[in-house]
Amino acid sequence: VLGEIPNVPLHIGALFIYDPSTCPSGSITFEQLRSLVITLIDKSLPILKCRPEKLPFIMDKPYWVDDENFNIDYHLERYALPQPANWAALHELAGRFHARPLHQERPLWEALYLENLDHLAGIPKGSVGFLFKIHHALADGKVAMKIFAALHTLSPEPDAPLILQGKDIENPDFTAPGMLSKYTRAYWHSVSGPFKLAKNIADIVPK
């Protein structure tokens, strides 16, 4: 993705820790989270199955296209916090996770389901964590909050609807354009680019 260098990744993220004591089963399993994320992607956020498709020689900005080889297991992993499993270990894990650049040939997000959190001071026994990162090209703060909201309900009841359930969500077509269309757009973008830059400068200077 344009602008990214190896030691300056351009992704954002968040860590969630859940107390499962109000769950009927008393636990939140990796399989439940995996199923929830798959449902979220299929019904509400198909952009999470899209990868950036670049033109040779960076002739134009990349396109978001459906990843025909999408595999949820490349993006969501199960991980037990290593000993001594305290806050320092969690901070170190989160630091390593966020320092690792995202794979540019796949959808630009990754997540960890975290267990073995019982030794974290102030956290209820049996809690689990969800560590998530997503590239800024795929989501700004507003879209990231939409993704986070889509994973949650407003109450702990088993049948409580997801926050985004029932809302109208626009799902764009992420089919890759044909080669002629790509290069035609690249040509017009290169022609119109200087004029857009001049307009932006004209708008900024008076301010």
Side-chain angles (χ1 to χ4, degrees):
V1 176
L2 295 178
E4 182 162 284
I5 57 179
N7 60 339
V8 185
L10 298 181
H11 49 252
I12 56 178
L15 169 65
F16 301 91
I17 296 179
Y18 301 99
D19 173 8
S21 60
T22 58
C23 296
S25 63
S27 65
I28 302 173
T29 67
F30 173 73
E31 289 72 22
Q32 287 175 317
L33 177 62
R34 186 178 184 277
S35 177
L36 177 60
V37 171
I38 291 173
T39 300
L40 164 67
I41 293 172
D42 289 341
K43 293 186 176 181
S44 302
L45 293 168
I47 186 66
L48 295 184
K49 290 177 66 175
C50 293
R51 60 174 178 81
E53 183 168 284
K54 304 175 185 178
L55 268 68
F57 310 111
I58 317 179
M59 296 178 64
D60 200 4
K61 295 178 180 179
Y63 289 87
W64 291 116
V65 299
D66 286 313
D67 184 359
E68 297 178 354
N69 299 313
F70 177 77
N71 185 337
I72 188 65
D73 295 323
Y74 290 150
H75 300 272
L76 179 60
E77 297 182 77
R78 185 175 186 174
Y79 195 92
L81 190 64
Q83 297 299 332
N86 54 20
W87 281 108
L90 180 58
H91 294 162
E92 182 179 352
L93 169 64
R96 291 200 309 269
F97 178 69
H98 282 285
R100 185 177 66 198
L102 289 159
H103 196 300
Q104 297 291 313
E105 302 302 321
R106 297 174 183 159
L108 298 177
W109 66 275
E110 291 179 0
L112 296 179
Y113 168 91
L114 301 175
E115 51 193 351
N116 192 31
L117 306 184
D118 286 353
H119 297 292
L120 295 181
I123 300 300
K125 301 295 183 182
S127 293
V128 297
F130 183 59
L131 184 58
F132 184 86
K133 70 179 179 184
I134 186 169
H135 201 283
H136 217 310
L138 188 61
D140 57 12
K142 182 177 180 180
V143 174
M145 290 304 297
K146 174 183 174 183
I147 294 171
F148 300 153
L151 289 168
H152 297 87
T153 64
L154 292 177
S155 67
E157 284 72 26
D159 297 326
L162 295 171
I163 291 176
L164 289 186
Q165 189 170 319
K167 296 183 181 294
D168 294 330
I169 299 175
E170 181 182 355
N171 292 329
D173 181 10
F174 292 112
T175 304
M179 294 301 294
L180 178 61
S181 175
K182 287 181 183 178
Y183 286 103
T184 300
R185 295 182 193 184
Y187 171 76
W188 284 111
H189 290 165
S190 65
V191 170
S192 62
F195 295 98
K196 292 180 180 178
L197 177 61
K199 181 180 182 301
N200 289 339
I201 293 174
D203 290 340
I204 292 171
V205 168
K207 299 179 182 178

